[in-house]
Amino acid sequence: MTRPRSPASPPNPGPLIHMDFDGRVWPLAGGFGRYTRLVAAAAWLPNVFVALGFFSDKLYTAIPEHQCPEGPTLTGGPCGDNSTVDNSSCSGSAGYQSRGWLENTIVTQWDLICDNEWKVPLEQICNLIGWLFGFIIFGCISDRFGRRGAFIAALVVALPLGLALSFSPGYLSFLSIRAGFGAALAGIFLSFYIARLELCTPGHRLMITMIGGFFWLGGELLLPGLAVLCLDWKILQGAITGVLLLLGGYWCSRLLFPESPRWLLATQQLSRCKSELCQFSKANGVDLGENITDRDSLFTEIDSFWEVFPRPRYYSLCSIFGTRLIWRNALILGFSTFIGCGIRPCFARNLMVLGGSVPYFLQIGSEFLACIFLCITVNHWGRRAVLLICTILTGFCSLLLLALTQYLFNGASIAISVLGSFCSHAMVMLSIFYASEVLPTVIRGSGLGTILGISMIGRAALPIIVLQQRSGFFLHHVVLSSFCILSVLSLLLLPETKRKSLPDTLRQGDSMRRPPLLLHPTQDSMPLLHHGKPRADYNPDSYARLAISTKKMIRTGSKSGEENKALTVE
């Protein structure tokens, strides 16, 4: 007589409680030990290379001093900040005189002045569109194939396109290749940003991210010197591509850029997660012991959450629309990033009166101070409070310039513009960092990529206005100033992430609640929902393990009963 088959078990939906990666798994692998710090530090260097590619567009599109046949002399700064003049009578080019760091740009090569001057902002818009789609596409790739997989794909695209850009035969081919190159650079930046963040413990996340911001500014500072050495935009582009070739070391060596164990665990890829954790443990000097199944083993905490080996589970950006709070937090921070990037040209415009290279380095100085300000204040006052302060000050400086520009002397106008540039840059950096802490690991790549893409839309506002003969600059300033003040109310809805672990699942991301505005530094829960001190005899993890063990015993007993019954029948 045939033995009856046991009913098929339902598919495993994953653990019903949160796997505390920062508190339990990561410390067993050495945590933020020697090797982990080395990997995080190695992830800073690519910011320099990507910044060279991002800010090179300012140099490529810088309009040199020239004399129009029937019009006045047109001048442009070394980084492409062109003066506003009436060139309706211009019909051609004549006698360039380079005033920037490059003697030959795409403007001088293809005569993008006078009647063709509209092609300069068009190129800037296409470049930013490339970055926009790059952030979104490679963000989705990082959630499906991992942070390392997204980096490799972006580098494979960036190297040939960067080389092809140096040999662009014409303006139209330059537009398409430039957009693709920008998309690949966006993927490189995003993959390193997320991988670096997911290696850090809660106390180190801010400092590691801000140091990466200093390396980004280092690339911006290095660019003028590199341009003076190259003199031609094609040689400069070749040099940038050659520098990107150094990132091949991160591809060849998994020790420099390993896959994120946090992402592997969140997507239920246990075998790969254990392999990466073993690598981190050995490199951090942690002894795993002879038997990895011992009670004190690294993998005990992982195996206790799954009854059977689970299948990998991936999430797309569309998953965010099924959440209760994650989509709202992402929308608020995306709106804040858009405002901060869009309003910066309003401050930079008042700095153009200084002329030459002064505005370029003055903005870098304000960005440097903004990074220092965030390093000092955010871990002490919290993410939400500092973002509120930066947003309020940005809106206040913007309104001052709108209302009092005609009555202020140049020194006061420049001082307000520098302060506004400082606050807006701090607002953008903190909004992006805040979003990376609010978004769960399973959709952090696509969610943060979308927010960074929105920031590119804000940056594209100025070339769009220039393309329209600067007719809407005042309205643009008024609208963004109003949005800046209104966004303060929405920022009050955000949760506080200081000293908290990164959310890994959608359920945990939805559990992050908004604290009161006036909250004690050590209090993280809502006062009205507080039920007194927790019971000393209650441990949710112990009860969860008891439930799992009980379920296994019930299934084992049921299976044994069925086998005994079958043997009796036989």
Side-chain angles (χ1 to χ4, degrees):
M1 186 174 182
T2 59
R3 181 177 299 179
R5 298 176 60 185
S6 60
S9 59
N12 182 28
L16 297 178
I17 59 178
H18 168 57
M19 185 70 191
D20 189 3
F21 184 86
D22 287 320
R24 289 186 157 180
V25 177
W26 200 222
L28 294 177
F32 201 65
R34 177 185 56 194
Y35 172 66
T36 309
R37 292 194 297 268
L38 177 62
V39 173
W44 291 330
L45 188 59
N47 276 10
V48 179
F49 305 154
V50 177
L52 291 175
F54 181 79
F55 292 105
S56 62
D57 196 63
K58 290 186 176 181
L59 276 62
Y60 294 169
T61 57
I63 298 181
E65 182 179 356
H66 61 282
Q67 182 70 35
C68 294
E70 299 179 4
T73 300
L74 303 180
T75 61
C79 50
D81 301 307
N82 307 321
S83 60
T84 305
V85 294
D86 182 14
N87 61 349
S88 58
S89 60
C90 297
S91 59
S93 61
Y96 294 116
Q97 296 179 5
S98 176
R99 295 181 45 171
W101 295 307
L102 288 176
E103 292 184 356
N104 182 30
T105 65
I106 65 170
V107 177
T108 59
Q109 180 168 348
W110 294 313
D111 292 332
L112 304 183
I113 60 170
C114 302
D115 290 342
N116 293 324
E117 192 174 355
W118 59 273
K119 294 182 179 180
V120 173
L122 179 62
E123 187 279 335
Q124 296 170 347
I125 295 173
C126 291
N127 178 48
L128 293 174
I129 290 176
W131 280 78
L132 186 154
F133 283 104
F135 280 128
I136 297 176
I137 293 173
F138 287 101
C140 295
I141 292 176
S142 68
D143 285 339
R144 179 59 180 83
F145 300 100
R147 297 18 176 161
R148 179 177 170 83
F151 157 70
I152 293 175
L155 185 62
V156 168
V157 175
L159 291 178
L161 288 183
L163 185 61
L165 196 62
S166 300
F167 300 96
S168 300
Y171 173 77
L172 293 179
S173 62
F174 180 87
L175 287 184
S176 57
I177 299 175
R178 182 67 180 173
F181 182 66
L185 292 181
I188 295 175
F189 174 83
L190 181 63
S191 58
F192 275 101
Y193 189 98
I194 298 175
R196 183 172 58 238
L197 181 84
E198 292 178 346
L199 291 176
C200 301
T201 56
H204 295 93
R205 285 199 303 260
L206 176 70
M207 191 60 63
I208 294 298
T209 303
M210 290 301 110
I211 294 177
F214 288 122
F215 274 79
W216 176 269
L217 295 178
E220 192 175 359
L221 277 173
L222 183 63
L223 182 62
L226 189 61
V228 171
L229 293 176
C230 296
L231 295 179
D232 190 283
W233 74 269
K234 291 185 177 182
I235 301 177
L236 177 60
Q237 178 60 38
I240 294 174
T241 306
V243 169
L244 288 176
L245 189 61
L246 298 177
L247 296 181
Y250 293 84
W251 179 4
C252 299
S253 175
R254 295 187 66 91
L255 292 176
L256 282 178
F257 190 22
E259 187 54 82
S260 170
R262 184 188 297 271
W263 173 78
L264 292 172
L265 184 61
T267 53
Q268 303 180 174
Q269 303 179 64
L270 296 191
S271 296
R272 294 182 60 192
C273 178
K274 292 177 181 179
S275 176
E276 293 293 341
L277 288 174
C278 280
Q279 174 180 314
F280 274 91
S281 299
K282 294 177 181 178
N284 282 324
V286 177
D287 185 12
L288 295 179
E290 296 181 357
N291 187 4
I292 62 174
T293 61
D294 290 341
R295 180 176 59 85
D296 297 330
S297 167
L298 170 65
F299 303 138
T300 303
E301 296 293 335
I302 300 176
D303 294 333
S304 62
F305 277 79
W306 278 275
E307 301 176 20
V308 295
F309 190 83
R311 293 181 178 179
R313 188 173 182 182
Y314 308 101
Y315 297 82
S316 64
L317 183 60
C318 297
S319 304
I320 200 173
F321 298 109
T323 61
R324 292 177 294 124
L325 299 177
I326 299 175
W327 69 269
R328 185 195 69 186
N329 297 333
L331 181 64
I332 292 172
L333 292 170
F335 185 57
S336 175
T337 307
F338 167 78
I339 294 173
C341 289
I343 206 170
R344 293 201 71 195
C346 302
F347 302 120
R349 188 188 188 195
N350 291 328
L351 301 179
M352 293 302 107
V353 297
L354 299 175
S357 305
V358 176
Y360 183 83
F361 291 106
L362 197 58
Q363 288 187 13
I364 295 178
S366 65
E367 293 169 0
F368 182 82
L369 293 177
C371 291
I372 295 178
F373 172 76
L374 294 178
C375 291
I376 296 174
T377 59
V378 172
N379 271 340
H380 181 68
W381 294 342
R383 280 66 164 154
R384 190 177 65 163
V386 177
L387 184 57
L388 279 170
I389 293 173
C390 293
T391 306
I392 292 173
L393 289 178
T394 301
F396 181 71
C397 292
S398 180
L399 292 176
L400 277 181
L401 291 178
L402 278 173
L404 303 176
T405 299
Q406 298 179 353
Y407 308 100
L408 293 174
F409 56 91
N410 289 338
S413 178
I414 291 174
I416 295 175
S417 299
V418 171
L419 179 61
S421 180
F422 161 83
C423 295
S424 61
H425 185 73
M427 179 180 173
V428 172
M429 287 194 66
L430 185 54
S431 296
I432 295 172
F433 174 70
Y434 205 165
S436 66
E437 291 188 319
V438 169
L439 293 167
T441 301
V442 291
I443 58 169
R444 182 169 292 124
S446 54
L448 188 61
T450 302
I451 292 176
L452 287 169
I454 292 175
S455 71
M456 294 298 107
I457 298 177
R459 289 180 181 272
L462 180 60
I464 290 175
I465 293 174
V466 174
L467 192 62
Q468 297 175 347
Q469 302 297 323
R470 302 178 183 264
S471 58
F473 192 87
F474 180 78
L475 180 61
H476 165 79
H477 197 168
V478 172
V479 170
L480 285 182
S481 299
S482 304
F483 283 168
C484 193
I485 300 300
L486 292 176
S487 66
V488 173
L489 300 176
S490 63
L491 293 178
L492 296 174
L493 301 175
L494 294 174
E496 181 55 63
T497 57
K498 183 180 69 173
R499 297 191 307 271
K500 294 183 179 179
S501 299
L502 291 175
D504 291 327
T505 63
L506 296 177
R507 180 177 299 180
Q508 191 190 5
D510 266 340
S511 66
M512 302 180 71
R513 301 291 180 175
R514 173 187 62 86
L517 182 61
L518 300 177
L519 187 66
H520 192 269
T522 60
Q523 183 182 359
D524 291 325
S525 59
M526 296 286 291
L528 295 180
L529 301 179
H530 191 58
H531 298 288
K533 296 183 179 180
R535 291 175 52 185
D537 59 342
Y538 175 72
N539 188 346
D541 296 330
S542 299
Y543 279 97
R545 291 185 179 181
L546 178 61
I548 293 174
S549 301
T550 305
K551 189 183 299 183
K552 287 182 178 180
M553 292 174 61
I554 293 175
R555 290 187 176 180
T556 304
S558 176
K559 185 176 180 180
S560 300
E562 290 178 358
E563 291 177 353
N564 293 334
K565 183 178 179 181
L567 292 174
T568 302
V569 173
E570 293 177 355

